[in-house]
Amino acid sequence: MVNKKKFLKNFSYTFSSNIITFLLNAIILLLLPKILNTSDFGYFQYYMVVVGFTIYMHFGWIDGIYLRYSGNSYEEIDKSIFSGQFKALMVFGVIQFIILLGILLLLPIEVNKKYAIFIAIIAIMFMIPKIFTYVLMQVTSRFKEYSIILIIEKLVFSLLLVAFILAGVRSYSIFILADLIGRAISAAYGIYVCRDLLKTKAASLKENFNELYKNFKSGIFIMIANISSILVVSVVQFIIEHNWSIETFGKVSLALNISKAVLIVISAIGIIVFPMLKKVAKEYQPSIFKNVRTVLLPILFLMMLGYFPATILVNYWLPNYKSSIAFLMILFPFFVFESKTALLLNTYFKLLRYEKKLALINTIAVVLSLMLSVMTAYVFNSLYGTVMVILVAVALRSLMLELFIIKKLKVKKNYTIFLEILLIVLFIVVNMFLSFSSSFIIYSISLALYIYIFKNNIYQALKHVR
């Protein structure tokens, strides 16, 4: 079974770093929309959506490393192979930079968007070494170094952001550069941590190509799954920007980011679960899935109470974004589905090596998201309907993934999934049609009833998790 002492040590590193990252993100989320006008904030959010894709510009190469080497110690890995893979990845990054920059210069894009995409293309040169080094730290269970790499990026950005604001800077273009500097310094630290490995003489060209092939073969479907996972949401965001305005795009993105902030804390567990589950005997995997799920869902539903102070904060701190509250009541439950998917479902798909199925289900969700958002935006011209598509798409994806894993693990089916969806629907409906206080009371009572109904299951699951 899992080494509890090691798990708790690793968890303390990742949880602490994720809490710090959460707090730094909260500062960024509170400051930027306060000091930027709605248009500039929209362009900053546009950049953040675009730069999010740079995480996957290795096209599954690093995902293959993650899948193949998780559970190994840093001392066990062949440093000459990893040195060669890093150097090849950097060459690959330079080639991408040149090609994408050439394409960008030829495209007739509005200047503010072109600037945002340009900086995102530059970010590729820093994101590839950062992703390589922090994934290497993750798979070899060096979670202290992993945590520092994670923190540095947001810490540097937050410090520069505060410094620029105090200096009177109010330009989104400068803040985008501050984000880029944070990514660069984070990458530099990652390279420093792995300096012994990277100084090692690279393996022969033949060995490197063989390793490259194996990594691509293992990671390509994870890459497809990851990119399609982002597209489920971002395709709706881009349609909102196209059909309405960059200001509306920014307001929807603010609501979405408030919900996503919770994911940062929850993902602390998921980061360490996969390498450890690879060492667990197969007969324990179904019970771990069932117990973690039973404990996780009540925690997520309790965290949904955060919607109520969040609306008060947005209402008083960001008066120009009061319309975001209407989006927030629809999008806040987003993190419930995404947390369950990121922490539990994706982990088990990778563990059981169903990457192709994961990619297929995520692709289906993208197609569904595109079709529904085109219909709600261009046929019905309904902004709220288009925002609702985000929640519907991620909910259906989560449901498809979960039903598949339950079948493969042969976990006994029950009706908790549908009760959980009912609780989320209730949350949205009461906040949409009732007063603030009435919504809070009704959701709190419903949540208490849910916990009471499943109290024995939760208690038994907690005993096993401990």
Side-chain angles (χ1 to χ4, degrees):
M1 284 295 285
V2 175
N3 185 320
K4 291 183 180 180
K5 186 177 180 181
K6 187 176 180 181
F7 179 88
L8 289 172
K9 182 182 178 182
N10 291 338
F11 178 74
S12 67
Y13 285 135
T14 55
F15 186 74
S16 300
S17 68
N18 281 29
I19 287 290
I20 293 168
T21 305
F22 169 78
L23 293 172
L24 293 171
N25 270 334
I27 292 169
I28 294 165
L29 208 56
L30 288 170
L31 288 179
L32 277 176
K34 185 71 175 178
I35 56 98
L36 290 175
N37 61 49
T38 53
S39 177
D40 281 0
F41 181 70
Y43 283 118
F44 182 85
Q45 288 300 319
Y46 186 90
Y47 160 76
M48 293 304 291
V49 172
V50 174
V51 81
F53 287 95
T54 64
I55 297 171
Y56 306 110
M57 294 309 288
H58 51 83
F59 292 101
W61 193 335
I62 298 176
D63 292 316
I65 293 172
Y66 177 79
L67 288 171
R68 294 178 62 229
Y69 290 96
S70 280
N72 285 270
S73 71
Y74 190 75
E75 290 72 28
E76 289 173 343
I77 62 173
D78 187 334
K79 290 183 170 58
S80 65
I81 288 289
F82 276 79
S83 176
Q85 292 297 288
F86 177 82
K87 288 160 187 172
L89 269 164
M90 291 306 297
V91 172
F92 185 54
V94 172
I95 293 169
Q96 287 184 81
F97 173 79
I98 294 168
I99 293 171
L100 290 173
L101 186 60
I103 293 170
L104 179 65
L105 292 173
L106 296 173
L107 291 176
I109 302 174
E110 188 258 323
V111 64
N112 289 296
K113 292 178 186 175
K114 183 168 280 193
Y115 173 77
I117 296 170
F118 172 66
I119 301 299
I121 291 172
I122 295 174
I124 293 171
M125 299 302 299
F126 305 121
M127 292 305 291
I128 285 178
K130 179 201 163 183
I131 300 299
F132 179 88
T133 53
Y134 91 58
V135 165
L136 182 58
M137 296 299 99
Q138 188 178 339
V139 300
T140 56
S141 298
R142 292 180 64 181
F143 287 101
K144 182 179 178 180
E145 291 84 356
Y146 168 89
S147 300
I148 295 171
I149 293 170
L150 194 67
I151 291 169
I152 284 175
E153 180 183 320
K154 291 299 178 185
L155 180 61
V156 170
F157 177 45
S158 300
L159 291 173
L160 287 173
L161 180 64
V162 172
F164 285 139
I165 290 171
L166 292 175
V169 176
R170 297 294 184 271
S171 169
Y172 83 91
S173 59
I174 300 298
F175 297 144
I176 285 176
L177 286 176
D179 175 79
L180 184 67
I181 292 168
R183 294 174 193 273
I185 294 175
S186 177
Y189 176 76
I191 292 170
Y192 173 77
V193 168
C194 299
R195 62 192 181 281
D196 62 319
L197 181 149
L198 302 178
K199 286 179 182 177
T200 304
K201 184 180 178 181
S204 68
L205 201 60
K206 183 180 177 181
E207 286 178 297
N208 262 309
F209 272 112
N210 186 43
E211 182 71 12
L212 185 155
Y213 172 75
K214 289 178 182 177
N215 288 331
F216 266 125
K217 186 179 177 181
S218 297
I220 187 66
F221 288 103
I222 289 294
M223 182 274 294
I224 294 169
N226 287 334
I227 291 180
S228 56
S229 180
I230 295 178
L231 284 170
V232 169
V233 177
S234 59
V235 72
V236 184
Q237 289 178 282
F238 287 130
I239 285 174
I240 287 171
E241 188 277 326
H242 183 264
N243 196 51
W244 283 279
S245 65
I246 194 69
E247 291 82 5
T248 305
F249 175 91
K251 290 175 181 179
V252 172
S253 297
L254 175 65
L256 193 59
N257 286 335
I258 292 171
S259 180
K260 280 182 177 179
V262 184
L263 274 167
I264 297 169
V265 180
I266 296 297
S267 64
I269 306 170
I271 289 163
I272 59 175
V273 163
F274 180 67
M276 301 197 77
L277 276 177
K278 285 195 77 174
K279 299 178 180 180
V280 172
K282 286 186 178 181
E283 61 264 27
Y284 293 113
Q285 291 172 359
S287 61
I288 291 173
F289 176 87
K290 185 179 177 182
N291 291 326
V292 171
R293 189 197 182 285
T294 302
V295 173
L296 177 65
L297 267 296
I299 294 170
L300 294 176
F301 288 132
L302 282 166
M303 293 176 81
M304 275 176 62
L305 289 168
Y307 163 81
F308 298 98
T311 57
I312 295 170
L313 184 63
V314 171
N315 196 43
Y316 286 99
W317 179 252
L318 302 170
N320 292 333
Y321 293 84
K322 284 184 179 180
S323 59
S324 292
I325 294 172
F327 305 136
L328 190 59
M329 73 174 70
I330 298 170
L331 292 174
F332 202 75
F334 167 90
F335 83 83
V336 174
F337 298 110
E338 285 295 271
S339 296
K340 184 169 63 171
T341 299
L343 170 60
L344 202 55
L345 303 177
N346 283 350
T347 300
Y348 267 83
F349 267 86
K350 293 172 187 176
L351 181 69
L352 302 174
R353 298 308 303 263
Y354 285 115
E355 299 96 341
K356 290 182 182 179
K357 288 289 184 183
L358 178 62
L360 176 63
I361 292 172
N362 280 355
T363 303
I364 291 170
V366 173
V367 173
L368 181 68
S369 178
L370 179 61
M371 289 171 61
L372 289 176
S373 54
V374 165
M375 185 171 63
T376 53
Y378 299 117
V379 178
F380 298 107
N381 198 38
S382 171
L383 176 57
Y384 292 104
T386 308
V387 172
M388 182 67 79
V389 168
I390 296 174
L391 185 63
V392 170
V394 297
L396 287 174
R397 179 185 63 182
S398 178
L399 182 61
M400 287 188 287
L401 292 172
E402 185 162 2
L403 291 174
F404 181 87
I405 287 295
I406 286 172
K407 181 181 177 182
K408 292 300 176 182
L409 290 176
K410 297 178 182 177
V411 175
K412 186 180 177 181
K413 292 181 182 179
N414 53 49
Y415 296 100
T416 56
I417 297 173
F418 302 103
L419 283 173
E420 289 152 8
I421 291 172
L422 186 63
L423 189 60
I424 289 171
V425 171
L426 176 73
F427 173 87
I428 295 170
V429 170
V430 295
N431 280 293
M432 196 172 287
F433 296 106
L434 300 180
S435 66
F436 182 88
S437 55
S438 298
S439 301
F440 176 77
I441 292 167
I442 291 172
Y443 177 72
S444 298
I445 292 171
S446 303
L447 177 57
L449 185 62
Y450 168 85
I451 293 172
Y452 178 77
I453 291 170
F454 295 107
K455 66 181 187 298
N456 292 332
N457 294 15
I458 296 167
Y459 176 70
Q460 290 300 322
L462 279 169
K463 281 176 65 178
H464 285 97
V465 169
R466 285 202 301 268

